Amino acid sequence: MESVTFLGKQLKNPLVLASGILGNNAGILERVHRAGCGLVTMKSIGPGPRDGHNNPTVIDLGFGMINAVGLPTPGYDHMDTEWQALSGRTFPLNASIYGGSLEEFVQVARFVSEQGPEFIEINISCPNSDRHGMLFGVDEKAAFAVTNAVKRVIAVPLIAKLTPAAPDIGKIARACEDAGADAICAINTAGPGMIIDIEAQMPVLAFKKGGLSGPMIKPVAVRCVYDIYRAVSIPIIGLGGVTTGEDAVEMFMAGATLVGMGSAVRYRGIEVFDQVNRELADWLTDHHVTRDEIIGAAHDRRHTP
Amino acid sequence: MESVTFLGKQLKNPLVLASGILGNNAGILERVHRAGCGLVTMKSIGPGPRDGHNNPTVIDLGFGMINAVGLPTPGYDHMDTEWQALSGRTFPLNASIYGGSLEEFVQVARFVSEQGPEFIEINISCPNSDRHGMLFGVDEKAAFAVTNAVKRVIAVPLIAKLTPAAPDIGKIARACEDAGADAICAINTAGPGMIIDIEAQMPVLAFKKGGLSGPMIKPVAVRCVYDIYRAVSIPIIGLGGVTTGEDAVEMFMAGATLVGMGSAVRYRGIEVFDQVNRELADWLTDHHVTRDEIIGAAHDRRHTP
Amino acid sequence: MIAEHTPLMIEVAEITIHNSVYTTLFFDFAIDFRPGQFVMLWLPGVDEKPYSLSYYSPTRFGITIEAKGRFSRRAVALAPGDLVGIRGPFGNGFDIVSSPHTAVVAGGCGMAPLAPLVTKLHPDLCFIHGARTKEFILFQDRFARTRHITTDDGSLGHKGVVTDLLAAEIQHRTVQNQHQFDMVYACGPEMMMHAVFTLCESHRIPCQVSLERYMRCGFGVCGACVCGDRVVCTDGPVFDSAQLRNMADFNRTALLKSGRAVPLSDYVTWRCQ
Amino acid sequence: MIAEHTPLMIEVAEITIHNSVYTTLFFDFAIDFRPGQFVMLWLPGVDEKPYSLSYYSPTRFGITIEAKGRFSRRAVALAPGDLVGIRGPFGNGFDIVSSPHTAVVAGGCGMAPLAPLVTKLHPDLCFIHGARTKEFILFQDRFARTRHITTDDGSLGHKGVVTDLLAAEIQHRTVQNQHQFDMVYACGPEMMMHAVFTLCESHRIPCQVSLERYMRCGFGVCGACVCGDRVVCTDGPVFDSAQLRNMADFNRTALLKSGRAVPLSDYVTWRCQ
Ligand SMILES: Cc1cc2nc3c(=O)[nH]c(=O)nc-3n(C[C@H](O)[C@H](O)[C@H](O)COP(=O)(O)OP(=O)(O)OC[C@H]3O[C@@H](n4cnc5c(N)ncnc54)[C@H](O)[C@@H]3O)c2cc1C
Ligand SMILES: Cc1cc2nc3c(=O)[nH]c(=O)nc-3n(C[C@H](O)[C@H](O)[C@H](O)COP(=O)(O)OP(=O)(O)OC[C@H]3O[C@@H](n4cnc5c(N)ncnc54)[C@H](O)[C@@H]3O)c2cc1C
Ligand SMILES: Cc1cc2nc3c(=O)[nH]c(=O)nc-3n(C[C@H](O)[C@H](O)[C@H](O)COP(=O)(O)O)c2cc1C
Ligand SMILES: Cc1cc2nc3c(=O)[nH]c(=O)nc-3n(C[C@H](O)[C@H](O)[C@H](O)COP(=O)(O)O)c2cc1C
Ligand code: FES
Ligand code: FES
């Protein structure tokens, strides 16, 4: 795929690594970039050290995964070696952050912005923790408030990552746009769900409930991107269940400007980025269209550019 | 499976046919009963004639289905031949109803109650129509109001059918219980989702968005039943993605008293009821337990009976 | 199956316009198939409806459409290269008997599902085809088999209906003490199929007919197509004598799009709107 | 795979208690397997952790557990008939060379993944095994092969560490102008594996070692186990010399459960809590 300009930054292609997938250190982020990913996202960084939940935390169901990792994080100010390693990077970086309160979001955002990532993504949508994040993503006012507060303290473009649990995700996206978000990322995991082992007679995940990802949530993700596209005019990173070039085309047609992948790494390896790039390029060539031309194509009326 | 008593009525086994699956006439309802279903549910009956959406309305995705049938209904008072055929029935009947307003729910419920079904199920959860039902299922007060109003005008036990879209499904269930519901049925379809055909460059469903059902939503259904079990003490009909005896065991352990199936008919035919009965009986025998003993088994503390 | 799940978008490869109402669309695509099965044809932005396969080879299949209403008129106006969505095939298909003593009775567009069947039956079959007028006789030059034609206006073959010829042939075999039909296959208006069934019953001849009902899913879930306790899309569309005997709604009742059960005549009227 | 997706609950078939810390759990279950692969062991209500397969036959497999912390202590206290959850196997496994000139170097419980490898290698291999004391030498009577033992206290075999013997053998082969090792396999404490690697590098001998990191998913998604730009659960746990050379974090850095990168010594301390 050809390079794209996204919020003023050059990306070598329109594929994005989803937050929480591999992105735990500079080495692996660089490798994913080398493997064909235009924009790599770090695992969500929180205000203080947090171990996350005990195992089992991530289970593959075949047509998707369920996870309750529980937002483990070293804490933004315990990552010196990582920030240092990343400072010499040769690839664009999306730093995902979260907080349990507006103040924590601001505190983390201010620090992370100083580390100079290309973008900051606020995870206002994670369902795996009792206290963290989710509230902001299902309530318009809270989404506005946190986006607005973070926007004021950072020097890089802001991406708001949303949850499909919102009763009207278009409205949440609009609130984020109004508050100054430069782009929307959708979706975080769906559900939540639970799987019970009938021999053990208990939920398999230690946290009991977990978020759903992978192929089985693609219809939900496509619907969300479609709704958001109608609600806002800022660009959208569409993700949720994408594993092939055709899935990416579907996301573009729903209205995505970039397409993210997470669980796909389970099904096709890190090579999935190169593979999807190739499949996408082939599809566009075969159909004599450009990526630009298919963005929003599934809508009756598209945005006028 | 052995017979069970549910809200004072005898059912030959704990399996339920989900509303909207086949249940369009007396002949097929009887056949599903003969094929091993303890309680058959009619397609949701509405206040007036309604064609539903154009096709495509139901698409199989392999690991589940997406549908936007659009609540077609002859209207409760255009079903004379059906009510007559059902009056001579030899099987217990669950009549599902819906309305666009509290008044419509009451109107349909009053009439349907006079036809003498064993149970009335209120569908306060259908996502496939702009105007019908859904609002009641995501708002505690509305859920209370409609349940309470219907309860006053009917002479048979009342089942409230809920949507997983509720931000806290346990609270909705509690509101229904408080309003007089005799049981909860969960879940209706999840999502909504959308699938876009990239060659046609448009959503496949004529209504664009549709509800998700079948295996891919089982984790969501299990989580909902689990949450509801902790919130109420009335029995639960658990459904969503059940296709095997082991799936049914999982639903019982989450807290279900009866287990429903809909999409399973696509994957294993109408015979799925007999098959699941057998698988369920075998599992219980192998494990030296009864169905009663496993209900709620996945909870740390179970209801005291 | 080419598209068990979401519709597969494929190009119309070729089109044959048989006359003012019948058109066949051909698709160069491999598909699993037994005569009598149908596919769901999706015209994006319009609707999706079931059509029987009227042509079949390992690399190509065709469906023959009678332009009647909004959808079928759009379908016959397609051009080669146009993309349409195909799901299927669905349904049970005909049970093919190897006996030389079979009859195939087609009424109008009912020829569509029967055509691929005819080529699988013993060449000695008795093949009867009726239509309004000569012009509406489908597949004029398609079969090596002898075909007995009837038309309402006598413009070709016998002036009258297909059951005239079938009754005569059955009578003939009885009187001449010849081997009676081992199976009669019929497709056409439901009233015609009912007449064929009644005739066969009175001579204890087994028959199979292909029914039509409004459909949504095509795979036995939504209940739109139920006919008595039968699900037309999965139990059928082909039903045999034993099933027809117990099918209270055969030639009597059908469900409208709303699910309302109405007399078959009302159903036909509704479809005419 | 027996349980690619959700854990499969299976019974502990048999238990061998080797000594105060090492216990082997056997499961009578068919599993796909290459030496070096691991499974995730779930003790419902406790936790889930990775363990290498230490025994393998087409109908039975075993894992050998060192009782160290909360989880492993619970695991070694299991009884036959107890149900545990198994997911896997995961990981790449050792690349098995057919040469008679190989060495296997095990430190403590590092013997576990190496044991099924030893039986697949040429019988002339050089097999070195070190432990704290005589008592901690795993699988005392398991191998027909000669095993060179080292103990920290000299209670059995050579008093010292495994690299003493490996260095001597490499030296011997060099001096005697014998065929040098074509491959050295090692598993044990990371510091030991690093010593083996360094030794091999200085003699240009290729080696493979099996690394250990905190794991969650086991299938390359969550990133808990990353070591430099390598994903231990899917790229590894076995890595060869070429990979080790470029692996900045080898014997240096590991991620805690929180994802925090710490010096390996801190990681070990954390695991000791
Ligand atoms: C299993 C199956 C196989 C089918 N195979 C074919 C096929 O091979 N070729 C084909 O042309 N159609 C076939 N049909 C019918 C087809 O699906 C459409 O219903 C038909 O093309 C009319 O669609 P429409 O939208 O154009 O008409 P509508 O707008 O739905 O209705 C208008 C016209 O439909 C006619 N009509 C529809 N249904 C009936 C009926 N049951 N009895 C009498 N008249 C009716 C009316 O007379 C009227 O002229 C099949 C249907 C089923 C269920
Ligand atoms: C691929 C893989 C294969 C494994 N195979 C085995 C195996 O075959 N047998 C086996 O016993 N364990 C194996 N482990 C380790 C195992 O998964 C657990 O980490 C171990 O059993 C400790 O679990 P615990 O909860 O009891 O200890 P914890 O409570 O986590 O920690 C307590 C103890 O762990 C020790 N410890 C843990 N990790 C390390 C380390 N990296 N370096 C030094 N000390 C450490 C500490 O010294 C301490 O005594 C493997 C790990 C991986 C990643
Ligand atoms: C194991 C795992 C961990 C995740 N951790 C995070 C996270 O820390 N922050 C975040 O915003 N999203 C997180 N997600 C959600 C993903 O970024 C993504 O939104 C979701 O998985 C849907 O995309 P997919 O179907 O391509 O995986 C996580 C997902 C998985 C599977
Ligand atoms: C085609 C279709 C039509 C449905 N129609 C209704 C309906 O009319 N009323 C209702 O309460 N639920 C309806 N449902 C939802 C089902 O009753 C059930 O709640 C859902 O499909 C989940 O169960 P399953 O996974 O076993 O299918 C419908 C589902 C499908 C697939
Ligand atoms: S068309 Fe849905 S059941 Fe037949
Ligand atoms: S344990 Fe999850 S990536 Fe290795």
Side-chain angles (χ1 to χ4, degrees):
Chain A
M1 282 300 302
E2 286 166 31
S3 77
V4 300
T5 309
F6 181 71
L7 305 180
K9 307 281 162 68
Q10 205 67 17
L11 310 179
K12 66 175 176 175
N13 64 50
L15 300 186
V16 179
L17 173 71
S19 178
I21 309 300
L22 291 178
N24 260 342
N25 72 13
I28 196 75
L29 287 165
E30 191 199 337
R31 175 168 165 206
V32 173
H33 173 75
R34 264 189 285 116
C37 178
L39 176 62
V40 292
T41 309
M42 298 172 76
K43 168 93 192 149
S44 294
I45 300 158
R50 188 180 148 91
D51 275 350
H53 304 308
N54 279 344
N55 283 331
T57 45
V58 193
I59 295 289
D60 180 17
L61 304 172
F63 42 73
M65 310 189 327
I66 185 166
N67 91 80
V69 171
L71 292 173
T73 181
Y76 69 95
D77 53 351
H78 294 80
M79 298 171 59
D80 297 353
T81 44
E82 225 43 59
W83 294 125
Q84 203 157 352
L86 285 168
S87 70
R89 73 181 177 280
T90 53
F91 51 89
L93 182 69
N94 184 20
S96 171
I97 65 164
Y98 73 87
S101 64
L102 198 140
E103 293 67 35
E104 284 182 356
F105 263 105
V106 168
Q107 181 186 2
V108 180
R110 183 179 283 124
F111 182 94
V112 170
S113 174
E114 281 158 17
Q115 312 308 315
E118 272 65 22
F119 311 97
I120 286 183
E121 179 173 290
I122 50 173
N123 176 3
I124 57 171
S125 51
C126 189
N128 288 341
S129 136
D130 290 328
R131 302 182 305 109
H132 289 92
M134 182 62 137
L135 263 181
F136 295 102
V138 295
D139 181 272
E140 280 170 73
K141 288 204 190 100
F144 181 95
V146 69
T147 306
N148 195 247
V150 167
K151 180 70 183 173
R152 287 166 190 276
V153 300
I154 64 174
V156 300
L158 176 57
I159 302 167
K161 176 151 179 196
L162 306 187
T163 169
D168 183 340
I169 199 168
K171 283 200 184 135
I172 305 289
R174 176 83 72 98
C176 293
E177 179 181 36
D178 290 346
D182 299 287
I184 300 293
C185 176
I187 56 176
N188 211 309
T189 53
M194 175 185 286
I195 49 172
I196 292 170
D197 187 284
I198 60 177
E199 301 300 332
Q201 308 208 356
M202 59 166 67
V204 174
L205 295 178
F207 188 62
K208 297 192 172 83
K209 302 175 195 178
L212 305 172
S213 63
M216 68 174 156
I217 72 160
K218 194 175 56 127
V220 175
V222 168
R223 187 264 302 168
C224 288
V225 170
Y226 186 94
D227 283 350
I228 295 166
Y229 184 78
R230 297 179 97 78
V232 303
S233 54
I234 51 179
I236 305 164
I237 302 176
L239 86 163
V242 174
T243 53
T244 67
E246 300 207 336
D247 293 341
V249 170
E250 190 175 352
M251 275 294 178
F252 288 128
M253 288 187 175
T257 293
L258 304 181
V259 167
M261 293 193 284
S263 305
V265 169
R266 159 64 169 155
Y267 302 111
R268 302 181 76 188
I270 294 180
E271 308 73 42
V272 69
F273 290 96
D274 263 339
Q275 289 165 356
V276 169
N277 271 314
R278 211 168 318 117
E279 290 159 3
L280 189 51
D282 288 350
W283 194 93
L284 293 173
T285 307
D286 287 353
H287 290 75
H288 312 292
V289 287
T290 65
R291 182 182 127 277
D292 266 0
E293 287 165 353
I294 63 168
I295 293 174
H299 293 261
D300 304 333
R301 259 168 313 136
R302 306 198 207 174
H303 287 157
T304 37
Chain B
M1 282 299 300
E2 286 166 30
S3 76
V4 300
T5 308
F6 181 70
L7 306 180
K9 307 283 162 67
Q10 205 67 18
L11 310 179
K12 67 175 175 176
N13 63 51
L15 300 186
V16 179
L17 173 70
S19 179
I21 309 301
L22 290 178
N24 259 342
N25 72 15
I28 196 75
L29 287 165
E30 191 199 336
R31 177 170 163 203
V32 172
H33 172 74
R34 265 189 284 120
C37 177
L39 176 61
V40 292
T41 309
M42 297 171 78
K43 168 93 190 148
S44 294
I45 299 159
R50 190 180 147 90
D51 275 350
H53 303 310
N54 279 344
N55 283 332
T57 45
V58 193
I59 295 289
D60 181 17
L61 303 172
F63 41 71
M65 311 190 323
I66 185 166
N67 92 81
V69 170
L71 292 172
T73 179
Y76 69 96
D77 54 351
H78 294 80
M79 299 171 58
D80 297 352
T81 45
E82 225 44 59
W83 293 125
Q84 204 158 351
L86 285 167
S87 71
R89 73 181 177 278
T90 53
F91 52 88
L93 183 70
N94 185 20
S96 171
I97 65 165
Y98 74 86
S101 64
L102 198 140
E103 293 68 36
E104 284 182 356
F105 263 106
V106 167
Q107 181 187 1
V108 179
R110 183 181 281 127
F111 182 95
V112 169
S113 174
E114 280 159 17
Q115 313 306 315
E118 273 66 21
F119 312 97
I120 287 182
E121 180 173 290
I122 50 172
N123 176 3
I124 57 172
S125 50
C126 189
N128 288 340
S129 136
D130 290 329
R131 302 182 304 111
H132 289 92
M134 182 62 134
L135 264 180
F136 295 102
V138 294
D139 181 273
E140 279 171 73
K141 287 205 190 102
F144 181 95
V146 68
T147 307
N148 194 248
V150 167
K151 181 69 184 175
R152 287 166 190 275
V153 299
I154 63 173
V156 300
L158 176 58
I159 302 166
K161 177 152 180 195
L162 306 187
T163 169
D168 182 341
I169 200 168
K171 282 200 184 135
I172 305 287
R174 178 80 72 97
C176 293
E177 180 180 37
D178 290 346
D182 299 287
I184 300 292
C185 175
I187 57 175
N188 210 309
T189 52
M194 176 186 284
I195 48 171
I196 292 170
D197 188 284
I198 61 176
E199 301 299 333
Q201 307 209 355
M202 57 165 70
V204 174
L205 295 178
F207 189 63
K208 297 192 172 84
K209 302 176 192 176
L212 304 172
S213 64
M216 68 173 154
I217 72 161
K218 194 175 57 130
V220 175
V222 168
R223 185 265 302 169
C224 287
V225 169
Y226 186 94
D227 283 349
I228 295 166
Y229 184 78
R230 297 179 96 79
V232 302
S233 53
I234 50 178
I236 305 163
I237 302 176
L239 85 163
V242 174
T243 54
T244 67
E246 299 206 338
D247 293 342
V249 170
E250 190 175 352
M251 276 292 179
F252 288 128
M253 288 186 174
T257 294
L258 304 182
V259 167
M261 293 193 283
S263 305
V265 169
R266 158 65 170 154
Y267 302 109
R268 302 181 76 189
I270 294 180
E271 309 72 43
V272 69
F273 290 97
D274 264 339
Q275 289 165 355
V276 169
N277 271 314
R278 212 170 317 117
E279 290 159 5
L280 188 50
D282 287 351
W283 195 93
L284 293 172
T285 307
D286 286 354
H287 290 75
H288 312 290
V289 287
T290 64
R291 181 181 127 277
D292 266 0
E293 287 166 353
I294 62 168
I295 293 175
H299 294 260
D300 304 334
R301 258 169 313 137
R302 305 198 209 176
H303 285 157
T304 37
Chain C
M1 307 223 195
I2 61 163
E4 209 181 347
H5 303 145
T6 49
L8 187 74
M9 297 300 293
I10 53 178
E11 279 185 12
V12 177
E14 206 179 298
I15 290 180
T16 302
I17 300 172
H18 302 286
N19 58 33
S20 60
V21 297
Y22 297 138
T23 296
T24 298
L25 309 179
F26 290 96
F27 302 93
D28 287 338
F29 215 91
I31 183 169
D32 253 11
F33 172 67
R34 292 195 301 149
Q37 288 190 302
F38 63 93
V39 293
M40 297 295 291
L41 172 70
W42 177 40
L43 304 186
V46 187
D47 210 322
E48 189 195 40
K49 303 233 167 185
Y51 290 93
S52 303
L53 265 66
S54 58
Y55 283 89
Y56 174 74
S57 80
T59 59
R60 163 173 275 209
F61 70 89
I63 58 179
T64 302
I65 297 171
E66 181 176 353
K68 295 175 177 175
R70 194 173 79 95
F71 183 83
S72 50
R73 272 190 250 279
R74 291 285 287 266
V76 301
L78 288 165
D82 286 350
L83 281 174
V84 302
I86 298 282
R87 285 196 294 139
F90 297 114
N92 58 353
F94 292 102
D95 186 23
I96 297 172
V97 300
S98 57
S99 155
H101 307 287
T102 64
V104 166
V105 185
C109 199
M111 171 56 83
L114 293 171
L117 172 71
V118 163
T119 59
K120 297 237 174 186
L121 293 175
H122 193 282
D124 290 350
L125 87 165
C126 168
F127 186 10
I128 304 170
H129 185 189
R132 283 169 256 177
T133 68
K134 179 185 168 181
E135 203 207 346
F136 293 97
I137 293 296
L138 259 175
F139 310 144
Q140 302 255 12
D141 311 311
R142 179 168 174 187
F143 302 100
R145 323 276 190 254
T146 311
R147 182 160 36 159
H148 308 285
I149 306 288
T150 72
T151 49
D152 295 356
D153 66 352
S155 54
L156 192 71
H158 169 78
K159 177 175 168 143
V161 292
V162 285
T163 39
D164 297 348
L165 300 196
L166 181 66
E169 179 61 25
I170 291 173
Q171 193 62 30
H172 175 78
R173 291 183 178 218
T174 306
V175 171
Q176 300 288 316
N177 231 340
Q178 288 175 5
H179 192 118
Q180 192 46 277
F181 290 127
D182 289 320
M183 185 61 74
V184 173
Y185 299 94
C187 188
E190 197 153 319
M191 198 192 278
M192 174 216 109
M193 292 191 283
H194 191 261
V196 169
F197 168 66
T198 310
L199 183 62
C200 288
E201 286 293 279
S202 67
H203 292 84
R204 298 171 186 269
I205 301 168
C207 74
Q208 295 176 36
V209 311
S210 176
L211 296 187
E212 199 219 281
R213 287 294 183 275
Y214 184 74
M215 289 186 178
R216 283 196 174 93
C217 66
F219 46 68
V221 159
C222 74
C225 70
V226 292
C227 180
D229 71 349
R230 293 292 119 183
V231 184
V232 174
C233 66
T234 44
D235 295 326
V238 178
F239 295 96
D240 64 21
S241 305
Q243 294 171 310
L244 295 171
R245 264 171 233 141
N246 298 308
M247 200 181 286
D249 290 352
F250 176 41
N251 198 36
R252 200 165 300 144
T253 308
L255 306 190
L256 301 184
K257 197 172 171 185
S258 66
R260 182 170 178 181
V262 294
L264 198 68
S265 54
D266 292 10
Y267 172 71
V268 175
T269 314
W270 165 66
R271 299 298 288 264
C272 290
Q273 286 158 10
Chain D
M1 308 222 193
I2 63 163
E4 208 182 347
H5 302 145
T6 48
L8 187 74
M9 297 299 294
I10 55 177
E11 280 186 10
V12 176
E14 207 179 299
I15 290 179
T16 302
I17 300 170
H18 302 287
N19 58 31
S20 60
V21 297
Y22 297 137
T23 296
T24 297
L25 308 179
F26 290 97
F27 302 93
D28 287 339
F29 214 91
I31 184 170
D32 254 9
F33 172 66
R34 292 194 301 149
Q37 288 190 300
F38 64 93
V39 294
M40 297 296 291
L41 172 69
W42 177 40
L43 303 185
V46 186
D47 210 324
E48 188 196 41
K49 301 234 170 186
Y51 290 92
S52 304
L53 267 66
S54 59
Y55 283 90
Y56 173 75
S57 81
T59 58
R60 164 172 275 210
F61 70 88
I63 59 179
T64 302
I65 297 170
E66 181 176 353
K68 298 176 176 176
R70 195 173 78 95
F71 183 85
S72 51
R73 272 191 249 278
R74 291 285 286 267
V76 301
L78 288 165
D82 285 350
L83 281 175
V84 301
I86 298 281
R87 284 195 296 138
F90 297 114
N92 59 353
F94 292 102
D95 185 21
I96 298 172
V97 301
S98 56
S99 155
H101 307 287
T102 65
V104 166
V105 186
C109 198
M111 172 55 82
L114 293 171
L117 172 72
V118 164
T119 58
K120 297 236 172 188
L121 293 175
H122 193 283
D124 291 350
L125 86 165
C126 168
F127 187 9
I128 304 170
H129 185 188
R132 284 168 257 176
T133 69
K134 176 184 171 186
E135 204 207 346
F136 292 98
I137 294 293
L138 259 175
F139 310 144
Q140 302 254 13
D141 310 311
R142 180 167 172 186
F143 303 100
R145 322 275 191 258
T146 312
R147 182 160 35 160
H148 308 286
I149 306 288
T150 73
T151 49
D152 296 356
D153 65 353
S155 54
L156 193 70
H158 171 79
K159 176 173 169 148
V161 292
V162 286
T163 38
D164 298 349
L165 300 196
L166 182 65
E169 179 61 24
I170 290 173
Q171 195 59 31
H172 175 78
R173 290 183 179 219
T174 305
V175 171
Q176 300 289 315
N177 229 341
Q178 289 176 3
H179 193 119
Q180 192 46 280
F181 291 126
D182 291 320
M183 184 61 73
V184 172
Y185 300 92
C187 188
E190 196 153 319
M191 197 192 278
M192 174 214 108
M193 292 191 284
H194 190 261
V196 170
F197 168 67
T198 310
L199 184 61
C200 288
E201 285 293 280
S202 66
H203 291 84
R204 298 172 186 267
I205 301 169
C207 73
Q208 295 176 36
V209 311
S210 177
L211 297 186
E212 200 220 282
R213 287 295 182 274
Y214 184 74
M215 288 187 179
R216 285 196 174 93
C217 67
F219 46 69
V221 159
C222 74
C225 70
V226 292
C227 180
D229 71 348
R230 293 291 120 185
V231 183
V232 174
C233 65
T234 45
D235 294 327
V238 178
F239 295 95
D240 64 21
S241 306
Q243 294 170 311
L244 295 171
R245 265 170 234 143
N246 298 307
M247 202 181 285
D249 290 353
F250 176 41
N251 197 37
R252 199 165 302 145
T253 307
L255 305 191
L256 301 184
K257 197 172 171 186
S258 66
R260 182 170 177 179
V262 295
L264 199 67
S265 55
D266 293 10
Y267 173 71
V268 176
T269 313
W270 164 67
R271 297 299 289 264
C272 289
Q273 284 157 11

